[in-house]
Amino acid sequence: MTNEPLQETGAADAATPMVSFRKVTKSYGRLVVLDSLDLDVAEGEMVSIIGPSGSGKTTVLRMLMTLETINGGVIYVDGQPLTHMPKGGQLVPASDRHLRQMRSKIGMCFQHFNLFPHMTALENCMEGPVHVLGLSKAEARERSEQLLEMVGMADKRNQHPSRLSGGQQQRVAIARALAMRPKVMLFDEVTSALDPEVIGEVTNVIRKLVSEHHLTMLMVTHQMGFAKDISDRVCFFYGGRIEEQGTPEQIFGNPRRERTRQFLSAVKEAV
Amino acid sequence: MLDWRWDFTWDILPRLIAATGNTLLAAGLGYAIAVVLGLVLALAQRTPYRAVTIVVREAVEFIRSTPLVLQIFFVFYVGPQFGLRLSPWAAGMIAIGLHYAAYLSEVYRGGLESVPKGQWEAATSLNLSTARTYFRIIIPQALPPSLAGMGNYLVGIFKDTPMLSVIGVAELMHTANAIGSETYRFLEPYTLVGIIFLALSLPTAALIRVFEAWVRRKLGMY
C-alpha cells in the first residue's frame, strides 16, 4: 500500500508517529483550551479521546484539520509540520500550498455530518476526488460507489441529504472523507447528533474501518462502550490536558486518577 | 367627466409598445450588470483584507444613501469632465446597474451568511480551494434564500427605468412625455404607461415565486 517514495523533508519511517503534538497550546483570549499538549499517535493506531465538555478534545481534531489555528507549539503529521514549514533552519507559518498538501493526508467526519445539501450522496463523495485530486469523473464515480457500498449506502447514492436519516447521512459523510484516501481519519462526536436506534449503523462502519483498513484514527466520543471496544488507546482529557491515558482496559477497568474515576462514574449514572 | 379619447389611445399605443421594448432592454441590461457586480461587491466584503472590506462597504453605503436620479445625472453630465463621455444608454446602464448592484450585494451578503459554518469546514476537510468552495458549495446554497430579494429588485429596477428619461433614453416614460408635448394630451399616454408597468410587474412577481420553488427543488433543498 505505501510504496510511494519518501519525501525529502523528514518523511515518516516506522518509528515516527503519524501524528505528533509538541507542546501545542490553544487559547481564546484568556481561556486556555489546550495547555502545552504532547500527544503521539502511531501509524494505524486508533485513539479515542474522552472527557467532559470544554476539556479541549474537539479542539485537538479541529487543529489537526486546520480548522483552528494554534497559538504555540508544533503539530507534525506524517513527519512534517502541519501549520509550519521549515525555512532557513527555522519553522515559519506554512504557505497555502503547504497547508493544502498537508491537509490531503487528513479526513474528518463531523457531529452534524455537514454534507452538501444541494448534491446527491454520490456527488458529495465525488466532489473532492474530481476537483481536488483531479480524478476523471468515471474514476471518481467508481471509487465513490465502492465506498458507498462499503458503508451500506449504495442504494441511496442518488438521494439528496434531506431525504436521508441522520445515520445514513453520517455514513455518506464517512464515505466522502474516505474517498480522498486520507492517512489519518478524524471522527468528531459522529454519533452525538443521532437518534439512539441508528447509532449502531455508524459505529459498525467505524468498526469495519478499524478491522479492515490500516488507517490512523482519532475519535472524540461520548460512547464509552464503543471507545472501549475498538480503541488501541484512550486519552482522558481534563482542562486542556491529558489527565490520563492508557489501554481501554486500564482506563475503563482501573483508572488511576481521581478525575477519571469521577468522570466515568458520572457518565455511567447518566446512561 | 374625463375626456378620454379612444381613437387617440389606439393611435399612440403602437409607439408606446415599441418603447416598452426599450424599457425591458434597459431593465434587463441594468439587472444583468447588477446581478454580476452585486456578487463581486458582496464577495469583496468577505476577503481577509480589511481595507478592501471597508472601502467596498463604504462605497455600497454611499450608493444606497444617494438618489438614483442624481447618480444618473452625475454619470452622464459630470462624467465628461473626467474624460468619460458616454451615450445616454451607456451612462444610464452604468448608473442603474451600479445602483442596484449595491442593493443586490446586501441581498447576497445575507444569503452567503446564512450558509452554515459547517459547510466551510467540510469543504476545508476535503481540501477544496476557497474559489471552488464559493462556486460549488456556498453560492448554490446562498441562492435560494437570496431569490426573493433578487426578485424584488428585478421589479424595482423595472419600475425605476423611467428615471433614465431624464438623460434622454427613449424608454416608455420618455416616449409618453414626447407624445404629451407634441399633442398636449397627457391623460392617455400616462395612463397607458401605468397599465403597461402594472401588466408586466404583476406576472413577474408571480413568476419569481415559481422560479424560487423550482430552484429549491433543482438543488434538492426543500
Side-chain angles (χ1 to χ4, degrees):
Chain A
M1 198 169 95
T2 48
N3 283 331
E4 300 145 2
L6 296 178
Q7 270 122 357
E8 69 275 39
T9 44
D13 54 51
T16 319
M18 178 56 80
V19 173
S20 181
F21 285 73
R22 285 282 166 271
K23 302 224 174 306
V24 174
T25 300
K26 173 74 185 176
S27 52
Y28 299 103
R30 281 209 177 144
L31 177 72
V32 178
V33 185
L34 282 182
D35 184 8
S36 192
L37 175 74
D38 285 308
L39 173 66
D40 284 350
V41 182
E43 194 186 348
E45 194 180 12
M46 167 56 143
V47 173
S48 288
I49 299 174
I50 61 169
S53 59
S55 60
K57 47 194 200 306
T58 286
T59 307
V60 171
L61 301 194
R62 292 176 57 82
M63 289 196 306
L64 261 173
M65 197 63 259
T66 69
L67 300 174
E68 303 274 356
T69 55
I70 66 177
N71 299 121
V74 183
I75 302 172
Y76 294 88
V77 175
D78 204 10
Q80 288 175 276
L82 176 68
T83 58
H84 298 77
M85 53 188 195
K87 192 177 179 185
Q90 277 188 317
L91 287 180
V92 298
S95 66
D96 211 44
R97 190 157 157 253
H98 178 86
L99 272 180
R100 284 176 61 91
Q101 191 220 323
M102 293 305 292
R103 245 186 240 132
S104 70
K105 301 171 192 283
I106 305 163
M108 184 163 180
C109 293
F110 301 87
Q111 182 178 356
H112 296 289
F113 336 126
N114 299 352
L115 289 178
F116 305 133
H118 55 301
M119 297 181 185
T120 64
L122 184 62
E123 286 165 348
N124 263 279
C125 295
M126 288 172 61
E127 184 64 22
V130 170
H131 293 291
V132 177
L133 304 181
L135 264 60
S136 75
K137 284 226 163 133
E139 289 170 306
R141 177 184 293 269
E142 198 193 328
R143 181 186 288 192
S144 301
E145 282 181 342
Q146 269 173 16
L147 286 164
L148 286 171
E149 180 78 52
M150 200 264 285
V151 300
M153 289 296 295
D155 56 328
K156 303 270 189 198
R157 63 178 175 275
N158 293 320
Q159 298 284 345
H160 282 90
S162 57
R163 290 290 161 96
L164 302 175
S165 73
Q168 291 173 330
Q169 289 190 53
Q170 194 60 286
R171 284 186 282 152
V172 172
I174 293 172
R176 176 176 74 173
L178 291 173
M180 299 301 284
R181 301 256 165 99
K183 294 185 170 182
V184 182
M185 269 293 284
L186 312 174
F187 296 98
D188 184 15
E189 299 194 27
V190 287
T191 57
S192 294
L194 298 179
D195 291 332
E197 73 270 21
V198 298
I199 288 177
E201 63 189 57
V202 173
T203 53
N204 282 340
V205 168
I206 299 175
R207 275 177 216 276
K208 205 155 138 189
L209 276 180
V210 171
S211 61
E212 294 171 15
H213 296 261
H214 192 65
L215 268 167
T216 307
M217 294 190 240
L218 273 102
M219 177 172 82
V220 170
T221 186
H222 295 293
Q223 304 277 116
M224 297 304 151
F226 181 50
K228 189 177 174 182
D229 277 1
I230 67 160
S231 309
D232 297 313
R233 181 157 45 116
V234 177
C235 296
F236 172 67
F237 269 66
Y238 190 92
R241 292 168 161 275
I242 298 178
E243 179 80 12
E244 181 172 0
Q245 58 177 316
T247 62
E249 293 74 29
Q250 189 250 306
I251 294 289
F252 292 108
N254 185 23
R256 291 195 192 98
R257 311 280 286 208
E258 182 55 31
R259 282 188 182 127
T260 318
R261 276 197 288 273
Q262 278 173 359
F263 173 74
L264 288 174
S265 69
V267 169
K268 211 167 278 171
E269 272 167 39
V271 172
Chain B
M1 261 311 284
L2 278 175
D3 173 28
W4 178 275
R5 280 177 44 191
W6 282 106
D7 55 339
F8 179 65
T9 305
W10 298 123
D11 273 354
I12 61 171
L13 191 58
R15 220 173 133 189
L16 287 174
I17 285 174
T20 306
N22 275 350
T23 288
L24 289 174
L25 183 66
L29 275 176
Y31 195 64
I33 293 171
V35 162
V36 176
L37 192 62
L39 184 60
V40 173
L41 293 177
L43 293 179
Q45 291 179 56
R46 294 170 63 95
T47 64
Y49 310 107
R50 267 188 66 103
V52 176
T53 307
I54 291 168
V55 168
V56 174
R57 180 161 302 157
E58 292 306 315
V60 166
E61 274 312 308
F62 175 77
I63 293 169
R64 296 200 316 150
S65 312
T66 50
L68 171 59
V69 73
L70 173 69
Q71 291 162 13
I72 292 171
F73 274 132
F74 211 86
V75 173
F76 188 62
Y77 290 112
V78 183
Q81 293 202 13
F82 298 94
L84 199 68
R85 210 168 291 278
L86 296 166
S87 69
W89 266 96
M93 290 304 95
I94 288 174
I96 208 166
L98 199 62
H99 187 82
Y100 274 90
Y103 279 100
L104 280 178
S105 76
E106 291 292 293
V107 172
Y108 293 142
R109 205 160 64 92
L112 291 168
E113 278 167 12
S114 76
V115 179
K117 233 179 94 204
Q119 293 291 306
W120 277 100
E121 296 181 346
T124 303
S125 78
L126 294 176
N127 225 347
L128 294 174
S129 68
T130 305
R132 204 166 283 284
T133 302
Y134 266 117
F135 285 101
R136 304 266 321 168
I137 311 299
I138 305 301
I139 292 174
Q141 292 183 63
L143 191 61
S146 303
L147 281 176
M150 290 174 74
N152 284 342
Y153 287 121
L154 174 61
V155 176
I157 200 170
F158 173 62
K159 290 192 300 171
D160 268 354
T161 50
M163 296 210 194
L164 297 171
S165 65
V166 296
I167 55 168
V169 172
E171 46 66 66
L172 258 179
M173 198 64 202
H174 189 266
T175 307
N177 282 336
I179 292 169
S181 54
E182 288 160 20
T183 62
Y184 301 103
R185 291 198 64 85
F186 295 94
L187 173 64
E188 292 87 352
Y190 287 162
T191 306
L192 285 176
V193 168
I195 290 170
I196 290 172
F197 269 102
L198 199 63
L200 289 169
S201 293
L202 287 180
T204 305
L207 280 176
I208 288 161
R209 277 195 292 278
V210 173
F211 180 66
E212 207 185 320
W214 179 80
V215 169
R216 276 181 199 275
R217 219 171 31 249
K218 193 85 187 153
L219 293 177
M221 299 157 84
Y222 303 90

